[in-house]
Amino acid sequence: MVLVLGVSAGAGGARAMLTHSDQPHLPPIDRCRVGRRENGVEDTVFEAIRLMRKSAAKRDEFITGIAVTCRCSSQAEAIRTTAGRNRLTVIDEPVAQLRYLKFTGRLPAEGSILLYDLGASGLTLTQIDCRTEAVLATKRSTVLCGEGHDALLRWLLVRGGVTVDMRSTRHYKEMLATDRVLTVCDPISGQRAVITRSDFAELVEAGIHHSASFVRHMMEETGVRPTAMALLGGCTRNKSIRDELEQQLDLPMIYDPEPEFVSTRGAVLLAAERPSARRVRSVRLTPLGLGRTSSNEPVSRRKLVAAVAVTATLGGTIVGALAMDRETGDHTDGKPPTVEVVGPPRHG
Protein backbone atom coordinates (compact mmCIF):
# COMPACT_ATOMS: atom_id res chain seq x y z
CA MET A 1 0.00 0.00 0.00
CA VAL A 2 1.03 3.61 -0.50
CA LEU A 3 1.28 6.26 2.21
CA VAL A 4 0.62 9.99 2.56
CA LEU A 5 2.28 12.33 5.02
CA GLY A 6 0.90 15.46 6.66
CA VAL A 7 3.09 17.96 8.53
CA SER A 8 2.10 21.09 10.47
CA ALA A 9 4.72 23.76 11.18
CA GLY A 10 4.56 26.13 14.13
CA ALA A 11 6.72 28.20 16.43
CA GLY A 12 7.00 25.32 18.89
CA GLY A 13 8.13 22.81 16.26
CA ALA A 14 6.55 20.46 13.73
CA ARG A 15 4.09 17.58 13.97
CA ALA A 16 3.92 14.85 11.35
CA MET A 17 1.39 12.08 10.70
CA LEU A 18 1.78 9.09 8.36
CA THR A 19 -1.28 7.20 7.05
CA HIS A 20 -2.41 5.03 4.14
CA SER A 21 -3.66 7.16 1.25
CA ASP A 22 -7.11 5.51 1.33
CA GLN A 23 -7.42 5.78 5.14
CA PRO A 24 -6.43 9.36 6.08
CA HIS A 25 -9.16 9.57 8.73
CA LEU A 26 -8.09 6.48 10.72
CA PRO A 27 -5.49 6.36 13.52
CA PRO A 28 -2.09 7.01 11.90
CA ILE A 29 0.47 4.36 11.14
CA ASP A 30 3.06 6.59 12.80
CA ARG A 31 3.46 10.17 13.96
CA CYS A 32 6.06 12.36 15.62
CA ARG A 33 6.71 15.79 17.09
CA VAL A 34 10.01 17.60 16.48
CA GLY A 35 10.88 20.55 18.72
CA ARG A 36 11.90 23.81 17.09
CA ARG A 37 15.41 24.03 15.68
CA GLU A 38 17.90 26.89 15.70
CA ASN A 39 18.06 26.95 11.89
CA GLY A 40 14.39 27.81 11.43
CA VAL A 41 11.04 26.20 10.76
CA GLU A 42 12.23 24.53 7.55
CA ASP A 43 14.88 22.55 9.44
CA THR A 44 12.22 21.35 11.89
CA VAL A 45 9.82 20.37 9.11
CA PHE A 46 12.35 18.35 7.16
CA GLU A 47 13.55 16.55 10.27
CA ALA A 48 9.95 15.45 10.87
CA ILE A 49 9.66 14.36 7.24
CA ARG A 50 12.95 12.46 7.49
CA LEU A 51 11.71 10.53 10.51
CA MET A 52 8.46 9.59 8.78
CA ARG A 53 10.27 8.58 5.58
CA LYS A 54 12.45 6.34 7.70
CA SER A 55 9.32 4.84 9.28
CA ALA A 56 7.80 4.19 5.85
CA ALA A 57 11.04 2.58 4.64
CA LYS A 58 10.96 0.14 7.55
CA ARG A 59 7.54 -0.96 6.35
CA ASP A 60 8.80 -1.17 2.78
CA GLU A 61 6.10 1.29 1.71
CA PHE A 62 6.20 4.40 -0.47
CA ILE A 63 5.01 7.93 0.38
CA THR A 64 3.05 9.27 -2.60
CA GLY A 65 2.15 12.71 -1.26
CA ILE A 66 3.45 15.11 1.37
CA ALA A 67 1.60 18.23 2.53
CA VAL A 68 2.89 20.86 4.96
CA THR A 69 0.78 23.54 6.60
CA CYS A 70 2.25 27.01 7.12
CA ARG A 71 0.98 30.02 9.04
CA CYS A 72 2.55 32.71 6.85
CA SER A 73 4.15 33.28 3.44
CA SER A 74 7.68 33.54 4.87
CA GLN A 75 7.38 30.03 6.32
CA ALA A 76 6.04 28.71 3.01
CA GLU A 77 8.86 30.32 1.04
CA ALA A 78 11.53 28.94 3.39
CA ILE A 79 10.13 25.42 3.08
CA ARG A 80 9.84 25.60 -0.72
CA THR A 81 13.41 26.90 -0.99
CA THR A 82 14.76 24.10 1.19
CA ALA A 83 12.78 21.50 -0.75
CA GLY A 84 14.54 22.43 -3.99
CA ARG A 85 13.47 20.17 -6.85
CA ASN A 86 11.63 17.81 -4.54
CA ARG A 87 7.85 18.07 -4.74
CA LEU A 88 5.67 18.88 -1.78
CA THR A 89 2.42 20.73 -1.15
CA VAL A 90 2.43 23.83 1.05
CA ILE A 91 -0.97 24.66 2.54
CA ASP A 92 -2.31 27.74 4.27
CA GLU A 93 -2.99 26.46 7.78
CA PRO A 94 -6.65 27.62 8.00
CA VAL A 95 -7.47 25.71 4.81
CA ALA A 96 -6.16 22.47 6.33
CA GLN A 97 -7.93 23.09 9.63
CA LEU A 98 -11.24 23.80 7.91
CA ARG A 99 -10.87 20.74 5.67
CA TYR A 100 -10.42 18.39 8.61
CA LEU A 101 -13.30 19.89 10.60
CA LYS A 102 -15.50 19.55 7.51
CA PHE A 103 -14.37 15.95 7.03
CA THR A 104 -15.31 15.04 10.62
CA GLY A 105 -18.80 16.53 10.21
CA ARG A 106 -18.28 19.12 12.97
CA LEU A 107 -18.48 22.07 10.60
CA PRO A 108 -21.78 23.94 10.09
CA ALA A 109 -23.12 23.71 6.53
CA GLU A 110 -23.62 27.47 6.22
CA GLY A 111 -22.26 30.65 7.73
CA SER A 112 -18.74 31.22 8.98
CA ILE A 113 -16.58 29.63 11.65
CA LEU A 114 -13.99 31.28 13.86
CA LEU A 115 -10.77 29.30 14.27
CA TYR A 116 -9.28 30.03 17.70
CA ASP A 117 -5.73 28.64 17.48
CA LEU A 118 -3.80 29.02 20.74
CA GLY A 119 -0.24 27.74 20.37
CA ALA A 120 3.21 28.12 21.85
CA SER A 121 3.97 31.60 20.49
CA GLY A 122 0.56 33.26 20.37
CA LEU A 123 -3.11 33.26 19.45
CA THR A 124 -4.26 33.28 15.82
CA LEU A 125 -7.90 34.05 15.00
CA THR A 126 -9.25 33.27 11.54
CA GLN A 127 -12.85 33.80 10.50
CA ILE A 128 -13.60 31.71 7.43
CA ASP A 129 -16.72 30.95 5.38
CA CYS A 130 -17.74 27.31 5.78
CA ARG A 131 -19.08 26.84 2.26
CA THR A 132 -16.62 28.80 0.10
CA GLU A 133 -13.58 28.47 2.43
CA ALA A 134 -12.97 32.20 1.94
CA VAL A 135 -11.10 33.93 4.78
CA LEU A 136 -13.08 36.92 6.07
CA ALA A 137 -10.43 38.16 8.51
CA THR A 138 -7.38 37.06 10.43
CA LYS A 139 -5.70 38.51 13.51
CA ARG A 140 -2.81 37.47 15.72
CA SER A 141 -1.80 38.36 19.28
CA THR A 142 1.23 37.33 21.31
CA VAL A 143 -0.21 38.56 24.63
CA LEU A 144 -1.61 35.07 25.22
CA CYS A 145 0.59 32.07 24.37
CA GLY A 146 1.67 28.65 25.58
CA GLU A 147 5.16 29.82 26.47
CA GLY A 148 3.63 32.58 28.59
CA HIS A 149 1.56 29.95 30.42
CA ASP A 150 4.74 27.96 31.05
CA ALA A 151 6.46 31.04 32.48
CA LEU A 152 3.53 31.87 34.78
CA LEU A 153 3.33 28.30 36.07
CA ARG A 154 7.07 28.24 36.74
CA TRP A 155 6.73 31.53 38.63
CA LEU A 156 4.00 29.98 40.79
CA LEU A 157 6.21 26.97 41.56
CA VAL A 158 9.17 29.20 42.46
CA ARG A 159 6.93 31.06 44.91
CA GLY A 160 6.24 27.66 46.51
CA GLY A 161 9.96 26.95 46.85
CA VAL A 162 10.22 24.57 43.88
CA THR A 163 12.45 25.27 40.88
CA VAL A 164 12.21 23.14 37.73
CA ASP A 165 13.33 23.77 34.16
CA MET A 166 10.96 24.94 31.45
CA ARG A 167 10.67 21.52 29.82
CA SER A 168 9.43 20.05 33.11
CA THR A 169 7.14 23.03 33.66
CA ARG A 170 5.55 22.47 30.26
CA HIS A 171 5.08 18.80 31.12
CA TYR A 172 3.27 19.69 34.37
CA LYS A 173 1.10 22.20 32.50
CA GLU A 174 0.09 19.52 30.02
CA MET A 175 -0.67 17.10 32.87
CA LEU A 176 -3.11 19.63 34.33
CA ALA A 177 -5.22 19.17 31.20
CA THR A 178 -6.25 15.77 32.62
CA ASP A 179 -5.23 15.83 36.32
CA ARG A 180 -6.89 18.12 38.85
CA VAL A 181 -4.04 18.00 41.40
CA LEU A 182 -0.27 17.54 40.96
CA THR A 183 2.64 17.30 43.38
CA VAL A 184 5.85 18.79 42.00
CA CYS A 185 9.25 18.05 43.54
CA ASP A 186 12.37 20.23 43.26
CA PRO A 187 15.03 17.87 41.79
CA ILE A 188 17.81 19.51 43.87
CA SER A 189 16.34 20.52 47.21
CA GLY A 190 13.60 17.91 47.39
CA GLN A 191 11.05 20.62 48.28
CA ARG A 192 7.50 19.77 47.21
CA ALA A 193 4.62 21.95 46.04
CA VAL A 194 1.03 21.07 45.24
CA ILE A 195 -0.64 22.76 42.26
CA THR A 196 -4.22 22.36 41.08
CA ARG A 197 -6.09 22.98 37.86
CA SER A 198 -7.83 25.86 39.64
CA ASP A 199 -4.43 27.42 40.42
CA PHE A 200 -3.56 27.31 36.74
CA ALA A 201 -6.96 28.70 35.74
CA GLU A 202 -6.39 31.74 37.97
CA LEU A 203 -2.96 32.31 36.43
CA VAL A 204 -4.24 32.41 32.85
CA GLU A 205 -7.66 33.98 33.50
CA ALA A 206 -6.64 37.53 32.55
CA GLY A 207 -5.14 36.35 29.26
CA ILE A 208 -8.26 34.36 28.38
CA HIS A 209 -10.41 37.43 29.09
CA HIS A 210 -8.16 39.40 26.75
CA SER A 211 -8.57 36.78 24.02
CA ALA A 212 -12.37 36.93 24.39
CA SER A 213 -12.15 40.69 23.86
CA PHE A 214 -9.95 39.96 20.84
CA VAL A 215 -12.67 37.68 19.42
CA ARG A 216 -15.39 40.27 19.95
CA HIS A 217 -13.22 42.90 18.28
CA MET A 218 -12.84 40.70 15.19
CA MET A 219 -16.58 40.14 14.96
CA GLU A 220 -17.14 43.89 15.15
CA GLU A 221 -14.63 44.42 12.33
CA THR A 222 -16.13 41.86 9.99
CA GLY A 223 -19.76 42.56 10.82
CA VAL A 224 -20.37 38.82 10.50
CA ARG A 225 -21.25 36.73 13.54
CA PRO A 226 -19.67 33.25 13.28
CA THR A 227 -21.91 30.20 13.56
CA ALA A 228 -19.40 28.52 15.90
CA MET A 229 -15.85 28.74 17.21
CA ALA A 230 -13.33 25.90 16.85
CA LEU A 231 -10.76 25.58 19.66
CA LEU A 232 -7.41 24.56 18.19
CA GLY A 233 -3.82 24.30 19.39
CA GLY A 234 -2.34 22.35 22.28
CA CYS A 235 -3.24 24.98 24.90
CA THR A 236 -6.97 24.34 24.43
CA ARG A 237 -6.54 20.83 25.81
CA ASN A 238 -6.89 22.43 29.24
CA LYS A 239 -10.54 22.25 30.28
CA SER A 240 -10.34 25.39 32.42
CA ILE A 241 -9.43 27.42 29.31
CA ARG A 242 -12.31 25.93 27.32
CA ASP A 243 -14.76 26.53 30.15
CA GLU A 244 -13.68 30.15 30.56
CA LEU A 245 -14.04 30.84 26.84
CA GLU A 246 -17.50 29.29 26.83
CA GLN A 247 -18.51 31.59 29.69
CA GLN A 248 -17.04 34.69 28.04
CA LEU A 249 -18.39 34.13 24.52
CA ASP A 250 -21.94 33.26 23.55
CA LEU A 251 -20.84 30.94 20.75
CA PRO A 252 -21.17 27.18 20.17
CA MET A 253 -17.74 25.57 20.70
CA ILE A 254 -16.20 22.91 18.46
CA TYR A 255 -13.43 20.86 20.07
CA ASP A 256 -11.37 17.96 18.75
CA PRO A 257 -9.84 15.55 21.31
CA GLU A 258 -6.42 16.26 19.78
CA PRO A 259 -6.63 19.98 18.95
CA GLU A 260 -2.90 20.25 18.27
CA PHE A 261 -3.18 17.69 15.43
CA VAL A 262 -6.12 19.27 13.54
CA SER A 263 -3.75 21.07 11.13
CA THR A 264 -1.70 17.90 10.63
CA ARG A 265 -4.77 15.78 9.87
CA GLY A 266 -5.99 18.40 7.43
CA ALA A 267 -2.62 18.22 5.69
CA VAL A 268 -2.99 14.42 5.49
CA LEU A 269 -6.39 14.78 3.81
CA LEU A 270 -5.05 17.26 1.26
CA ALA A 271 -1.96 15.14 0.60
CA ALA A 272 -4.26 12.25 -0.26
CA GLU A 273 -6.54 14.40 -2.43
CA ARG A 274 -3.95 16.48 -4.30
CA PRO A 275 -0.60 14.71 -4.37
CA SER A 276 0.61 16.81 -7.32
CA ALA A 277 -0.44 20.26 -6.08
CA ARG A 278 2.17 23.00 -5.84
CA ARG A 279 0.46 25.62 -3.68
CA VAL A 280 -2.95 25.96 -2.05
CA ARG A 281 -3.82 29.36 -0.64
CA SER A 282 -6.92 30.62 1.09
CA VAL A 283 -9.25 33.07 -0.65
CA ARG A 284 -9.52 36.35 1.24
CA LEU A 285 -12.62 38.52 1.08
CA THR A 286 -13.54 41.97 2.43
CA PRO A 287 -16.92 41.49 4.16
CA LEU A 288 -19.58 44.06 5.05
CA GLY A 289 -17.62 47.27 5.05
CA LEU A 290 -14.39 45.85 6.42
CA GLY A 291 -11.71 48.06 4.96
CA ARG A 292 -8.75 45.99 6.10
CA THR A 293 -7.73 43.31 8.54
CA SER A 294 -6.32 45.04 11.59
CA SER A 295 -3.28 43.62 13.29
CA ASN A 296 -3.73 45.93 16.29
CA GLU A 297 -4.83 44.39 19.54
CA PRO A 298 -7.82 45.75 21.47
CA VAL A 299 -7.30 47.74 24.63
CA SER A 300 -6.59 45.34 27.50
CA ARG A 301 -8.78 45.13 30.55
CA ARG A 302 -7.86 45.58 34.22
CA LYS A 303 -7.09 41.89 34.67
CA LEU A 304 -4.75 41.91 31.69
CA VAL A 305 -2.79 44.72 33.30
CA ALA A 306 -2.47 42.59 36.41
CA ALA A 307 -1.27 39.62 34.39
CA VAL A 308 1.33 41.75 32.60
CA ALA A 309 2.58 42.99 35.97
CA VAL A 310 2.92 39.42 37.20
CA THR A 311 4.75 38.37 34.05
CA ALA A 312 7.11 41.34 34.35
CA THR A 313 8.27 40.16 37.75
CA LEU A 314 9.70 37.06 36.17
CA GLY A 315 12.40 39.20 34.51
CA GLY A 316 15.54 37.66 33.15
CA THR A 317 14.90 34.38 34.99
CA ILE A 318 12.00 33.48 32.71
CA VAL A 319 13.75 34.75 29.58
CA GLY A 320 16.73 32.57 30.34
CA ALA A 321 14.52 29.62 31.16
CA LEU A 322 12.70 29.91 27.86
CA ALA A 323 16.01 29.92 26.06
CA MET A 324 16.87 26.59 27.73
CA ASP A 325 13.98 24.98 25.88
CA ARG A 326 15.64 25.12 22.47
CA GLU A 327 16.30 21.82 20.76
CA THR A 328 18.97 21.15 18.20
CA GLY A 329 19.56 18.59 15.47
CA ASP A 330 20.19 18.15 11.77
CA HIS A 331 18.76 16.42 8.71
CA THR A 332 21.91 15.83 6.71
CA ASP A 333 21.17 12.20 5.94
CA GLY A 334 20.00 12.88 2.40
CA LYS A 335 17.92 15.07 0.11
CA PRO A 336 14.92 16.79 1.63
CA PRO A 337 11.68 14.95 0.87
CA THR A 338 8.85 16.00 -1.38
CA VAL A 339 6.79 18.95 -0.16
CA GLU A 340 3.45 20.33 -1.46
CA VAL A 341 1.43 23.51 -0.66
CA VAL A 342 -2.38 23.55 -0.87
CA GLY A 343 -4.88 26.40 -1.12
CA PRO A 344 -7.45 27.89 -3.52
CA PRO A 345 -6.27 30.66 -5.87
CA ARG A 346 -6.62 34.26 -4.76
CA HIS A 347 -9.10 36.57 -6.47
CA GLY A 348 -7.44 39.15 -8.63
Side-chain angles (χ1 to χ4, degrees):
M1 298 182 70
V2 294
L3 305 178
V4 290
L5 174 61
V7 184
S8 60
R15 290 182 172 87
M17 186 173 287
L18 188 67
T19 75
H20 288 298
S21 58
D22 60 343
Q23 300 173 343
H25 56 296
L26 298 182
I29 294 171
D30 201 357
R31 64 182 178 182
C32 70
R33 180 187 183 281
V34 178
R36 60 186 174 193
R37 299 297 184 92
E38 294 291 342
N39 293 335
V41 65
E42 64 274 19
D43 188 55
T44 307
V45 165
F46 285 114
E47 173 61 13
I49 294 174
R50 184 189 70 81
L51 292 173
M52 292 297 93
R53 285 164 65 92
K54 185 176 180 180
S55 178
K58 285 182 180 179
R59 293 170 170 78
D60 196 26
E61 296 188 80
F62 178 68
I63 298 177
T64 60
I66 303 175
V68 181
T69 69
C70 293
R71 182 177 298 142
C72 60
S73 57
S74 60
Q75 283 185 351
E77 185 60 33
I79 290 170
R80 285 201 307 274
T81 299
T82 305
R85 292 179 178 273
N86 295 277
R87 290 184 59 80
L88 60 84
T89 300
V90 180
I91 309 166
D92 280 0
E93 190 170 45
V95 174
Q97 292 168 339
L98 192 74
R99 184 60 56 88
Y100 178 66
L101 293 174
K102 184 178 292 186
F103 179 84
T104 60
R106 294 186 177 96
L107 206 65
E110 297 293 335
S112 67
I113 186 171
L114 199 152
L115 305 176
Y116 179 103
D117 190 350
L118 182 54
S121 64
L123 169 66
T124 302
L125 300 180
T126 306
Q127 191 169 349
I128 188 167
D129 185 88
C130 297
R131 185 175 57 83
T132 64
E133 300 186 3
V135 173
L136 305 181
T138 183
K139 294 169 70 70
R140 181 164 173 81
S141 171
T142 56
V143 171
L144 180 66
C145 64
E147 289 182 347
H149 289 175
D150 298 342
L152 287 170
L153 182 57
R154 188 169 188 264
W155 171 80
L156 180 65
L157 290 171
V158 169
R159 285 188 61 189
V162 173
T163 302
V164 293
D165 61 25
M166 291 303 290
R167 186 188 298 273
S168 299
T169 304
R170 185 179 304 113
H171 173 67
Y172 291 128
K173 179 192 71 175
E174 291 170 352
M175 288 181 66
L176 286 172
T178 54
D179 298 344
R180 291 186 177 274
V181 181
L182 292 177
T183 300
V184 181
C185 179
D186 189 308
I188 298 177
S189 69
Q191 177 75 19
R192 294 177 181 273
V194 175
I195 53 174
T196 67
R197 187 183 295 169
S198 296
D199 293 333
F200 180 76
E202 290 179 6
L203 280 177
V204 303
E205 182 181 17
I208 299 302
H209 284 197
H210 163 74
S211 74
S213 175
F214 206 47
V215 169
R216 287 189 286 267
H217 190 258
M218 170 175 275
M219 290 191 292
E220 290 173 2
E221 283 188 327
T222 63
V224 178
R225 183 173 178 81
T227 306
M229 186 168 83
L231 303 178
L232 310 172
C235 292
T236 62
R237 272 185 175 269
N238 193 288
K239 189 175 185 300
S240 61
I241 290 178
R242 301 199 303 272
D243 290 345
E244 187 65 29
L245 285 170
E246 195 164 12
Q247 286 184 356
Q248 291 290 316
L249 298 166
D250 184 23
L251 287 172
M253 299 290 172
I254 297 172
Y255 175 70
D256 186 85
E258 291 186 316
E260 70 274 32
F261 277 99
V262 168
S263 298
T264 314
R265 288 190 178 277
V268 164
L269 286 168
L270 288 162
E273 292 174 8
R274 311 183 190 190
S276 62
R278 294 300 297 172
R279 179 71 186 273
V280 181
R281 294 190 179 100
S282 53
V283 177
R284 298 182 182 271
L285 300 181
T286 303
L288 299 181
L290 177 63
R292 60 185 174 84
T293 299
S294 173
S295 60
N296 296 328
E297 299 166 12
V299 177
S300 58
R301 297 187 177 186
R302 178 176 57 82
K303 289 188 176 182
L304 177 61
V305 173
V308 172
V310 169
T311 305
T313 64
L314 304 178
T317 301
I318 295 303
V319 174
L322 289 172
M324 291 168 53
D325 196 42
R326 303 277 181 162
E327 293 183 25
T328 58
D330 64 272
H331 55 271
T332 57
D333 61 324
K335 292 201 310 181
T338 301
V339 181
E340 310 246 349
V341 181
V342 179
R346 296 178 182 271
H347 291 310

